[in-house]
Amino acid sequence: MQVNFYDYATTVNKVKEFGLVDPDDKEGKKPAFVSYDKTTDKWNATVECNNRTDYSFIAVDNNIPLTVKNNGKDETASSCDAMLYTPKTVCFIELKADKKGNDWLNRGMEQLTNTISFFGKELNKYENKRAYLCNSKRPFVPSIHKIAQQQFMQKNKIVLRIKTEIEELK
């Protein structure tokens, strides 16, 4: 089933920076959102945008109905939390808050890969493509994750950045 991601887009306010929040709800049913206030929301990632007016945000997980067939039945597909885009750049973002182990890394890369696959040919519209795996509990990533980043690049043809600061999009 083809899904139009842009039907779910919202415009980001003209600000120097904003945060992305994956709400900590017990049922895990609320989608990620943009926050402009660090004092009221706990940001999982910070986005630089330098007062630009061409940023758009899409909450993906718990918002866009992405499904896959499993034994002939439709099941909800695992997807990343959010996307940002400008006229030239698309950015896929997975937000984590895990302290222990590396399972968060593998799960996050799978969620990003699934969403990129659903986005499909729309990728060709963009000059720049990015993916971020942001773990607010582990903002500093050891160099051992370089192998995972290389594997992600080979599979998706998109550079994976593992950090909580998202640089200004082109």
Side-chain angles (χ1 to χ4, degrees):
M1 177 176 108
Q2 185 66 25
V3 174
N4 186 349
F5 282 71
Y6 304 110
D7 288 347
Y8 299 87
T10 59
T11 303
V12 176
N13 293 348
K14 181 180 175 181
V15 292
K16 183 179 176 186
E17 71 176 12
F18 59 90
L20 299 179
V21 179
D22 188 8
D24 189 18
D25 64 317
K26 302 250 189 278
E27 296 84 35
K29 300 289 183 194
K30 294 182 181 175
F33 62 90
V34 170
S35 171
Y36 302 103
D37 187 355
K38 284 183 188 179
T39 61
T40 59
D41 296 311
K42 185 174 180 185
W43 293 4
N44 296 90
T46 303
V47 182
E48 269 182 47
C49 62
N50 294 312
N51 296 312
R52 289 177 51 175
T53 59
D54 61 350
Y55 271 57
S56 293
F57 170 80
I58 301 172
V60 181
D61 192 25
N62 297 317
N63 190 40
I64 299 178
L66 302 177
T67 58
V68 292
K69 291 277 187 204
N70 187 9
N71 294 327
K73 295 180 182 179
D74 285 343
E75 288 186 0
T76 301
S78 175
S79 60
C80 70
D81 290 304
M83 292 171 57
L84 289 171
Y85 67 94
T86 65
K88 291 185 178 184
T89 304
V90 63
C91 182
F92 300 88
I93 303 159
E94 176 58 26
L95 305 169
K96 296 286 184 197
D98 296 350
K99 278 189 174 182
K100 297 181 182 176
N102 282 328
D103 193 43
W104 65 270
L105 180 68
N106 295 327
R107 281 192 336 264
M109 290 191 319
E110 179 185 341
Q111 290 168 289
L112 289 162
T113 297
N114 287 347
T115 308
I116 291 165
S117 175
F118 275 100
F119 199 61
K121 293 180 182 177
E122 286 296 310
L123 277 176
N124 298 332
K125 293 182 178 181
Y126 296 94
E127 292 175 31
N128 307 295
K129 301 157 187 77
R130 296 184 188 174
Y132 280 87
L133 182 45
C134 308
N135 188 338
S136 59
K137 300 285 186 190
R138 297 179 76 174
F140 303 105
V141 177
S143 60
I144 60 168
H145 294 152
K146 295 282 184 214
I147 294 169
Q149 289 171 299
Q150 289 170 348
Q151 291 170 341
F152 187 89
M153 175 63 169
Q154 288 172 345
K155 185 173 190 171
N156 298 291
K157 310 298 185 241
I158 296 176
V159 173
L160 173 64
R161 293 165 173 91
I162 305 173
K163 57 189 203 170
T164 57
E165 294 81 29
I166 297 172
E167 297 99 2
E168 181 177 3
L169 305 182
K170 293 181 180 185

